[in-house]
Amino acid sequence: MRQAGEPRPQPAGDWAVCPRCREMIYGPRLARNLRVCPGCGHHHRLTAPERIAQLFDEGSTELLALPVWSGDPLRFTDTKPYAERLEAARTATGLDEAVVLARGTLGAHPVLAAVMDFRFLGGSLGTAVGELITLAAERALSERVPLLIVTASGGARMQEGALSLMQMAKTAQALGDLDRAGILTVSLITDPTYGGVAASFATLCDVIVAEPGARMGFAGPRVIAQTIRQELPEGFQTAEHLLEHGLVDTIRPRAELRETLTRLLAAGSRRIRPDGSPPPAEYSLIRDPGRLPDADVRDTVRRARHLGRPTTLDYIGRLCTGFEELHGDRIGGECPSIVGGPACLDGVPVMVIGTQKGHTVKELRERNFGMATPAGYRKSARLLRMAGKLGLPVITFVDTPGAYPGVEAEEQGQAVVIAENIRLMATLPVPVITLVSGEGGSGGALALAVADRVLVCSHSIYSVISPEGCAAILWNDPAMAPEAAEALRIDAGALLRLGIADAVVTEPAQGAHSDPDLAADHVHAALTSVLAELRALSAAELVAERHARFRAFGAVESFISATEEAMQS
């Protein structure tokens, strides 16, 4: 793999040499393949104009020539004067600076882009680059369109001294303004992205997409090796390494970037369903406990845990379009037990988040049986904050026996992250709907269920503890789990009578696993109906009513009435 300072491969006539596999590639073929090696998949660097041409809709692009000063503030000279270096870079690239700004559409969605070009002094972050990124953010703010930043940089521009350093704060400030205004920001990480760029605008966007093999870090491998003599692991700082450690949301090959970015931009557009009318929900949504048949709680527990039961990803696949799964907690962790990302439900952009189990023993193990670690709850909190910023309704799916209780989870603050998730959900200024689709276990479930409306599937359960755990603690006998399940009132009917659930979503008679498509139809009707109700409320009304909903649990009046009704049943 070539290092950050190496030039892009030069064609010999109509041929080029891939720097990774060293194979000769026919130039026109490489161009047709978006400058990706057809043999090894290596993503060759693109110029800013090439990148813009690949991403933007044809005929939509307008290059923005915004005035910036790009001079020699320190009168710096190393082996040659900085002014000469600047002039040589301008001559070689045809660019004024290392960033090109463009306005246009991507997948028919308006977007403003700031695209870096590594050819211009290694894409280094100087005063002009910081000014252009800031101007792009300010223009996105004034036009209220999403901002896309494509990064390619070796780090700070040393020839501008501390003035270069100040650009990190300046650009971070500009992205903060977009956060407060609720405008989507997306970062596309290309190889390489280092130093001040990585430690500012590249990693401050709502979503971070990376090309395969792209490297990103604060200090480059050579700096680390020379400074502290530390041996670096293979693949260190590559996109794949970053995804594993929760530092980027997703990796997409160049051929898939337009489709991925289109889905993300759709989430920032807040489009309304064309006809505005949800499908009828009368047949699938029950609010009156009297309409529910008597349930055998033991049978309900068995069905709630059935391996064939639809998972969060199953429901998302059947109900939503344009789902883009996002990964990572951005501080070093990724948990596969919680999945989430933006999607569209009947044309309405939403944020979907849920616990994920699986249908096989292998998948259950890979997903930790749906028991989330602290990284999972930090990831969900990041997505919840993103939803609040962009004004996206939140839909959460809960199917977990509980949060992961291991030693590492405790050391990483499992109790703290659950508490913070609960507090965050309580104040989100957007509609929040929770569907308990299988098991709702303890605080690990509640961390995704502080909602305006809590729906439970008719063969699901929701409890402070599992029946087995309750039996072991109170009866000192795990075999008493069936009796504990009855006593805990964990079935849908009891949850509705107690006010824990706002409504029950009907399932096929034998359970959702017996007909997943029909189960998804019922969930779809229920969610769209409830979402239509909630979208009519203001942010202040949503937060106030959510506060009142949870404030009432345990208050004398509500406690007596709910308990009496539950006991009478």
Side-chain angles (χ1 to χ4, degrees):
M1 181 180 292
R2 68 184 184 282
Q3 296 301 308
E6 291 185 31
R8 66 187 294 169
Q10 295 298 317
D14 286 336
W15 294 84
V17 179
C18 177
R20 176 187 287 171
C21 66
R22 310 307 301 174
E23 292 293 324
M24 295 286 290
I25 311 168
Y26 185 48
R29 184 186 183 197
L30 183 61
R32 286 194 302 271
N33 209 42
L34 305 179
R35 296 195 60 80
V36 176
C37 176
C40 70
H42 176 70
H43 282 53
H44 293 227
R45 285 184 190 145
L46 295 178
T47 68
E50 287 172 336
R51 181 73 66 178
I52 290 168
Q54 283 188 11
L55 291 180
F56 276 72
D57 296 339
E58 188 175 355
S60 75
T61 309
E62 176 193 355
L63 297 182
L64 303 179
L66 301 182
V68 292
W69 180 80
S70 184
D72 184 8
L74 306 184
R75 305 196 179 198
F76 191 96
T77 299
D78 43 61
T79 57
K80 66 171 63 175
Y82 175 45
E84 289 184 18
R85 292 190 183 277
L86 279 174
E87 190 55 40
R90 290 175 183 134
T91 301
T93 64
L95 303 178
D96 292 329
E97 254 297 342
V99 179
V100 176
L101 305 186
R103 177 202 289 119
T105 61
L106 201 166
H109 298 286
V111 64
L112 200 145
V115 182
M116 301 190 74
D117 196 313
F118 192 80
R119 297 174 303 158
F120 197 105
L121 296 181
S124 50
L125 176 60
T127 53
V129 169
E131 180 68 9
L132 285 166
I133 296 293
T134 301
L135 287 172
E138 290 171 348
R139 183 66 64 92
L141 179 62
S142 66
E143 298 180 10
R144 301 201 65 81
V145 298
L147 175 66
L148 169 65
I149 303 177
V150 183
T151 62
S153 175
R157 192 168 296 180
M158 292 172 285
Q159 297 93 334
E160 296 187 16
L163 288 170
S164 172
L165 187 66
M166 295 303 107
Q167 304 311 305
M168 295 169 64
K170 173 180 173 178
T171 54
Q173 240 177 210
L175 288 205
D177 291 339
L178 293 179
D179 287 338
R180 286 182 287 277
I183 294 172
L184 176 69
T185 54
V186 180
S187 177
L188 172 56
I189 305 299
T190 75
D191 188 63
T193 296
Y194 279 117
V197 170
S200 59
F201 53 87
T203 51
L204 287 177
C205 291
D206 297 310
V207 182
I208 302 177
V209 181
E211 286 194 325
R215 292 164 298 158
M216 180 174 74
F218 181 59
R222 283 184 294 183
V223 172
I224 295 172
Q226 292 171 7
T227 303
I228 61 175
R229 310 296 179 191
Q230 189 170 17
E231 186 174 341
L232 304 177
E234 186 176 351
F236 181 66
Q237 293 182 326
T238 61
E240 294 73 17
H241 182 268
L242 297 169
L243 182 66
E244 181 183 347
H245 288 81
L247 298 172
V248 301
D249 283 292
T250 189
I251 300 171
R252 286 292 184 271
R254 199 165 284 165
E256 297 177 13
L257 281 175
R258 268 183 51 84
E259 182 182 353
T260 297
L261 294 173
T262 296
R263 287 195 293 268
L264 293 170
L265 293 173
S269 69
R270 309 187 192 187
R271 290 186 297 113
I272 306 301
R273 188 170 182 263
D275 62 9
S277 58
E282 290 80 4
Y283 72 99
S284 62
L285 198 59
I286 296 176
R287 304 176 194 265
D288 177 7
R291 291 180 54 199
L292 292 170
D294 293 335
D296 181 330
V297 177
R298 302 181 193 193
D299 191 47
T300 297
V301 172
R302 180 181 61 81
R303 289 177 178 172
R305 294 171 173 173
H306 196 285
L307 277 181
R309 197 168 184 84
T311 66
T312 293
L313 289 177
D314 291 333
Y315 277 124
I316 292 173
R318 286 178 166 91
L319 304 178
C320 299
T321 58
F323 173 61
E324 185 62 41
E325 185 177 353
L326 305 181
H327 298 84
D329 64 1
R330 296 276 179 90
I331 61 170
E334 161 61 6
C335 173
S337 302
I338 289 184
V339 297
C344 283
L345 179 66
D346 279 9
V348 177
V350 295
M351 181 68 74
V352 289
I353 307 169
T355 51
Q356 176 69 16
K357 287 184 178 178
H359 297 299
T360 65
V361 173
K362 179 177 183 292
E363 188 180 359
L364 285 167
R365 286 175 176 164
E366 290 173 347
R367 300 282 184 177
N368 206 27
F369 296 85
M371 295 186 291
T373 64
Y377 291 112
R378 285 193 294 264
K379 173 169 64 174
S380 69
R382 183 169 72 83
L383 299 183
L384 290 168
R385 285 190 291 269
M386 179 177 166
K389 167 187 168 175
L390 299 177
L392 301 179
V394 172
I395 299 173
T396 65
F397 296 86
V398 171
D399 184 11
T400 177
Y404 182 65
V407 173
E408 287 186 2
E410 291 297 325
E411 290 176 341
Q412 294 166 11
Q414 184 72 289
V416 175
V417 296
I418 288 173
E420 289 178 342
N421 249 48
I422 292 171
R423 180 172 62 181
L424 173 61
M425 291 193 78
T427 58
L428 276 184
V430 294
V432 183
I433 305 170
T434 290
L435 176 75
V436 180
S437 58
E439 288 186 274
S442 189
L446 182 62
L448 292 181
V450 182
D452 301 295
R453 300 288 186 273
V454 175
L455 313 179
V456 295
C457 290
S458 54
H459 294 297
S460 64
I461 58 176
Y462 190 14
S463 177
V464 67
I465 193 172
S466 70
E468 294 79 7
C470 178
I473 293 172
L474 297 184
W475 275 269
N476 199 27
D477 182 2
M480 295 295 290
E483 287 73 12
E486 291 278 359
L488 285 167
R489 301 289 196 272
I490 62 177
D491 61 284
L495 294 168
L496 186 58
R497 293 183 185 94
L498 286 167
I500 304 296
D502 295 287
V504 173
V505 181
T506 59
E507 297 183 33
Q510 299 304 312
H513 62 278
S514 67
D515 191 342
D517 288 329
L518 179 58
D521 286 343
H522 286 209
V523 170
H524 175 254
L527 291 178
T528 50
S529 175
V530 172
L531 183 57
E533 294 174 13
L534 295 177
R535 292 181 72 216
L537 302 178
S538 68
E541 289 171 323
L542 288 167
V543 173
E545 291 188 13
R546 195 180 310 142
H547 181 276
R549 182 187 195 280
F550 287 90
R551 174 65 180 85
F553 291 123
V556 174
E557 300 83 359
S558 63
F559 180 78
I560 292 174
S561 61
T563 303
E564 286 180 347
E565 184 178 353
M567 296 306 293
Q568 288 170 2
S569 66

